[in-house]
Amino acid sequence: MAFEIGSVVTKLQMLSTSDHASIVSMNLFVALLCACIVLGHLLEENRWMNESITALLIGVCTGVVILLFSGGKSSHILVFSEDLFFIYLLPPIIFNAGFQVKKKQFFVNFMTIMLFGAIGTLISCTIITLGATQIFKKLDVGPLELGDYLAIGAIFAATDSVCTLQVLNQDETPLLYSLVFGEGVVNDATSVVLFNAIQSFDLNHIDPSIALQFLGNFLYLFITSTMLGVLTGLLSAYIIKKLYIGRHSTDREVALMMLMAYLSYMLAELCYLSGILTVFFCGIVMSHYTWHNVTESSRITTKHSFATLSFVAEIFIFLYVGMDALDIEKWKFVSDSPGTSVATSAVLLGLILLGRAAFVFPLSFLSNLAKKSSSEKISFRQQVIIWWAGLMRGAVSMALAYNQFTMSGHTSLRCNAIMITSTITIVLVSTVVFGLMTKPLIRLLLPHSPHKSIIAITDSSTPKSVTVPLIAQDSEADLDGHEINRPSSIRALLATPTHTVHRLWRKFDDAFMRPVFGGRGFVPVEPGSPTERNGHQWR
């Protein structure tokens, strides 16, 4: 009896020690997040640094300190988990990007974005896979199978759309932002779909039907994921418009918007669809309909809440990756052959450069052939920036690499450890080097951007998040007060397809969609409500 009581006390003490260690870890991590925000503010005007690079470097430095204090046993206070990344951190980032994206710019370049994001990812994946298959055997990396090589192609074809948000500005370079970030969202979705397809297919019996199966699977996932996001956004708009929850509590309508946005992502994951695409298009639909159905105070609250959640998640990811980069368990497996690890990282980095160049320039050429106006074409200098800005690799590559080459975050095979350390090296080098050089490269190649006047007219005392033009206003406001010449022939229709499609969509939207789902000009009318009092300013 005394022995049982003693064992219970020991377990309680161990549990208490574990809880205390968790509290200490979380305190340290929150303090580091605060430090990243403060340093990011101090470096706001720096032409080289941005918050993502700052967080990454702070994470690495903190890892070094922890490594020294622990006597070389550990370098982090949290272990990188793909579940934490995909379920909790990525959704608010992608949703906010869809919520704040300039929809007209995005959909005008939709075909080019799809070319880069889908076809370009397949081209890049193919080149990386073929190059790794031929070179890794000579480097004696280890016994990698065909599935591993295909997975490597999918892992390193995934660009870092999170870092793109930091290095490109939607107002200064709207075309580049919409192309690179739009491609990044589709690219991440394509890479994840491709990665999952590689794991599900039987690669021991390869035949031409596998390519058709993959194509059909991708189209199914893209269409169904997009539709799920659109339907969830429309459902939220309809509920808030019909019930007008804000007349009793603005907190409820803000909470409903947040929860339904997250629900769209989780439903997609539950149905084995692409949560990235679903939550992105849910954000676009919510900004077009739902956001206009809530009260004035809720509009301000949701805009800043989504931006804040996205901002904190971005900083968390880079801090997380930086601290995990020095995990001693993974590096000890390659300590006996550091040359192999360095050579592997260098080869993969070269293949990433080659793979991206192999589709950016040819597909840009094809895209330009379909555009009549020279102002709409992608210049060679812009192509160079698109190629460069998409070279960064981040947490998506890390998460996929951990999924393929570790078991619950741990690895015991030398070849797997080499791939994990090479992934970490590429994420660090590409984020820091390419991220640092992107802003100066834009200033060098595009010294006189015509869009800088947008920022110049904003009040300098306004917070950064408020200087962004009102969500979803660009698509309507851009053509207000300007007469659109209707095409009188098929040739004229083909010469001005953008305005024609936009005009037809406006007519359909005003006649059928907005009366049902709300939106600008179709807000709920409630006597004395903030929406009614301020409704004239949205018309």
Side-chain angles (χ1 to χ4, degrees):
M1 184 67 180
F3 176 75
E4 292 179 358
I5 294 175
S7 63
V8 170
V9 172
T10 303
K11 289 180 180 179
L12 288 174
Q13 289 176 343
M14 292 175 61
L15 183 62
S16 177
T17 303
S18 176
D19 290 343
H20 183 265
S22 299
I23 292 173
V24 171
S25 299
M26 290 308 299
N27 270 280
L28 179 58
F29 210 90
V30 171
L32 290 173
L33 286 173
C34 294
C36 291
I37 293 172
V38 172
L39 285 176
H41 169 72
L42 296 175
L43 298 172
E44 178 70 25
E45 301 301 325
N46 190 286
R47 62 179 297 183
W48 301 94
M49 298 293 288
N50 58 63
E51 265 119 356
S52 59
I53 297 175
T54 303
L56 195 65
L57 294 177
I58 289 177
V60 172
C61 293
T62 306
V64 172
V65 173
I66 296 175
L67 195 64
L68 293 174
F69 275 93
S70 65
K73 295 179 180 179
S74 177
S75 65
H76 49 64
I77 53 180
L78 294 174
V79 180
F80 188 89
S81 166
E82 63 264 25
D83 290 335
L84 174 65
F85 171 71
F86 279 113
I87 295 177
Y88 301 109
L89 298 178
L90 190 60
I93 297 172
I94 302 299
F95 174 80
N96 184 64
F99 196 73
Q100 301 223 28
V101 73
K102 292 187 175 182
K103 294 187 291 297
K104 184 181 177 183
Q105 190 74 36
F106 178 81
F107 286 107
V108 162
N109 299 292
F110 187 73
M111 292 308 299
T112 305
I113 289 170
M114 288 303 301
L115 274 177
F116 286 175
I119 306 300
T121 302
L122 293 176
I123 294 173
S124 179
C125 177
T126 302
I127 290 177
I128 293 172
T129 298
L130 293 176
T133 304
Q134 298 300 317
I135 300 175
F136 282 5
K137 293 177 181 177
K138 299 178 181 179
L139 294 177
D140 190 27
V141 172
L144 296 175
E145 300 177 353
L146 176 60
D148 294 323
Y149 286 114
L150 290 172
I152 289 170
I155 289 167
F156 293 103
T159 61
D160 185 13
S161 55
V162 176
C163 200
T164 302
L165 294 170
Q166 298 283 343
V167 299
L168 292 179
N169 188 289
Q170 186 169 206
D171 295 316
E172 291 183 5
T173 53
L175 175 63
L176 293 177
Y177 183 94
S178 65
L179 287 178
V180 177
F181 177 72
E183 175 221 338
V185 173
V186 179
N187 168 280
D188 288 346
T190 305
S191 298
V192 174
V193 169
L194 181 59
F195 183 83
N196 292 333
I198 290 168
Q199 292 189 323
S200 61
F201 287 146
D202 183 8
L203 299 175
N204 294 323
H205 303 86
I206 298 179
D207 55 65
S209 64
I210 287 185
L212 293 176
Q213 288 179 19
F214 172 75
L215 179 61
N217 188 37
F218 174 75
L219 292 175
Y220 165 76
L221 286 174
F222 183 88
I223 295 172
T224 51
S225 300
T226 301
M227 290 306 299
L228 179 59
V230 171
L231 290 175
T232 307
L234 291 176
L235 180 61
S236 70
Y238 184 79
I239 292 174
I240 290 178
K241 178 177 181 292
K242 282 296 181 183
L243 299 181
Y244 192 54
I245 300 172
R247 71 177 182 270
H248 294 310
S249 172
T250 57
D251 296 339
R252 289 174 184 166
E253 58 184 3
V254 171
L256 188 62
M257 284 187 69
M258 290 184 173
L259 291 175
M260 291 200 72
Y262 189 66
L263 179 64
S264 69
Y265 184 88
M266 297 310 298
L267 280 175
E269 294 298 315
L270 181 65
C271 299
Y272 301 101
L273 301 176
S274 172
I276 296 172
L277 280 175
T278 298
V279 79
F280 179 74
F281 281 98
C282 180
I284 290 178
V285 173
M286 278 193 173
S287 73
H288 190 65
Y289 296 109
T290 314
W291 189 73
H292 294 281
N293 295 343
V294 299
T295 59
E296 183 70 19
S297 59
S298 294
R299 291 176 189 175
I300 298 172
T301 302
T302 52
K303 179 180 179 181
H304 289 287
S305 296
F306 292 143
T308 302
L309 287 173
S310 173
F311 173 74
V312 173
E314 290 172 19
I315 302 301
F316 191 100
I317 286 173
F318 285 102
L319 189 61
Y320 199 38
V321 171
M323 294 180 68
D324 195 66
L326 298 177
D327 185 11
I328 197 67
E329 179 189 90
K330 303 174 185 65
W331 289 100
K332 69 181 181 181
F333 284 101
V334 299
S335 59
D336 58 336
S337 55
T340 302
S341 180
V342 172
T344 302
S345 302
V347 168
L348 286 171
L349 196 58
L351 291 173
I352 289 171
L353 292 166
L354 178 63
R356 185 156 182 84
F359 78 81
V360 167
F361 298 106
L363 293 183
S364 296
F365 175 76
L366 293 177
S367 176
N368 288 340
L369 290 179
K371 295 179 179 179
K372 304 295 182 181
S373 173
S374 59
S375 62
E376 296 178 352
K377 294 184 178 181
I378 308 172
S379 67
F380 180 74
R381 291 188 174 191
Q382 290 175 324
Q383 293 175 34
V384 172
I385 295 173
I386 292 171
W387 169 72
W388 183 270
L391 291 173
M392 289 171 283
R393 298 297 180 265
V396 173
S397 295
M398 287 276 288
L400 296 180
Y402 271 65
N403 185 290
Q404 178 70 21
F405 297 108
T406 68
M407 184 67 68
S408 299
H410 302 282
T411 181
S412 58
L413 297 176
R414 176 178 172 273
C415 60
N416 289 350
I418 289 177
M419 294 314 306
I420 292 296
T421 54
S422 298
T423 304
I424 292 171
T425 303
I426 288 172
V427 168
L428 291 175
V429 172
S430 64
T431 301
V432 174
V433 176
F434 300 143
L436 283 174
M437 296 299 296
T438 300
K439 287 183 180 179
L441 185 66
I442 292 175
R443 290 189 176 95
L444 176 66
L445 296 180
L446 303 174
H448 303 293
S449 176
H451 299 280
K452 288 185 179 179
S453 59
I454 297 176
I455 296 182
I457 64 175
T458 58
D459 184 2
S460 59
S461 63
T462 306
K464 182 179 178 182
S465 59
V466 180
T467 62
V468 180
L470 285 177
I471 302 170
Q473 301 306 309
D474 57 314
S475 58
E476 284 83 8
D478 287 347
L479 298 179
D480 286 350
H482 295 81
E483 182 181 356
I484 301 174
N485 296 321
R486 299 187 178 187
S488 57
S489 63
I490 297 295
R491 177 173 295 180
L493 174 66
L494 294 176
T496 58
T498 302
H499 286 175
T500 303
V501 172
H502 183 265
R503 181 175 58 82
L504 293 175
W505 163 249
R506 284 281 303 275
K507 290 180 67 176
F508 174 79
D509 195 26
D510 291 342
F512 299 101
M513 299 297 289
R514 290 185 178 180
V516 177
F517 300 105
R520 191 164 70 106
F522 291 85
V523 293
V525 177
E526 186 73 20
S529 68
T531 308
E532 184 193 33
R533 290 196 302 269
N534 298 309
H536 66 277
Q537 67 178 308
W538 306 108
R539 296 180 183 275

